[in-house]
């Protein structure tokens, strides 16, 4: 007996599918922007370790947003 509530992609409503795809696109865009910015900056222009911020950028929305809010020195 399968007790999971997992739905197949075809069982998800079109509006929910669109929202999931849009959220994924936003996540990837934020991460790409953060990674590009980290690569372009010198270590002196970043609060903390560049390697740490690269790793943090992989934490859904929170990592890239945290980097843009706290990781960059202007």
């Amino acid at each position: 007996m399968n007790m999971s509530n997992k739905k197949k992609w075809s069982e998800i409503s079109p509006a929910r599918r669109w929202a999931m795809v849009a959220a994924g696109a936003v996540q990837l865009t934020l991460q790409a922007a953060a990674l590009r910015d980290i690569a372009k900056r010198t270590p002196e222009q970043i609060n903390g370790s560049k390697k740490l911020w690269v790793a943090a950028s992989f934490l859904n929305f929170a990592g890239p947003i945290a980097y843009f809010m706290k990781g960059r020195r202007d």
Side-chain angles (χ1 to χ4, degrees), residues 20 54 72:
M20 292 169 67
V54 167
R72 301 184 328 162

Side-chain angles (χ1 to χ4, degrees), residues 7 13-14 17 24 26 28-29 34 44-46 54 62 70 73-74:
K7 291 185 177 183
S13 73
R17 281 189 258 167
V26 170
L28 291 174
T29 301
E44 294 78 25
Q45 295 174 312
I46 295 179
V54 167
K70 301 288 185 182
R73 291 184 186 168
D74 289 325

Side-chain angles (χ1 to χ4, degrees), residues 2 18-19 22-24 34-35 47 49 55 65 74:
N2 187 356
W18 185 89
L35 290 172
N47 290 320
S49 164
I65 291 171
D74 289 325

Side-chain angles (χ1 to χ4, degrees), residues 40-65:
K40 286 186 165 192
R41 290 180 180 266
T42 65
E44 294 78 25
Q45 295 174 312
I46 295 179
N47 290 320
S49 164
K50 287 178 85 168
K51 288 181 182 181
L52 177 67
W53 283 115
V54 167
S57 75
F58 287 89
L59 299 174
N60 290 331
F61 295 95
I65 291 171

Side-chain angles (χ1 to χ4, degrees), residues 2-12 20:
N2 187 356
M3 303 283 288
S4 74
N5 290 331
K6 292 183 180 180
K7 291 185 177 183
K8 294 179 182 177
W9 184 255
S10 62
E11 297 172 337
I12 299 171
M20 292 169 67

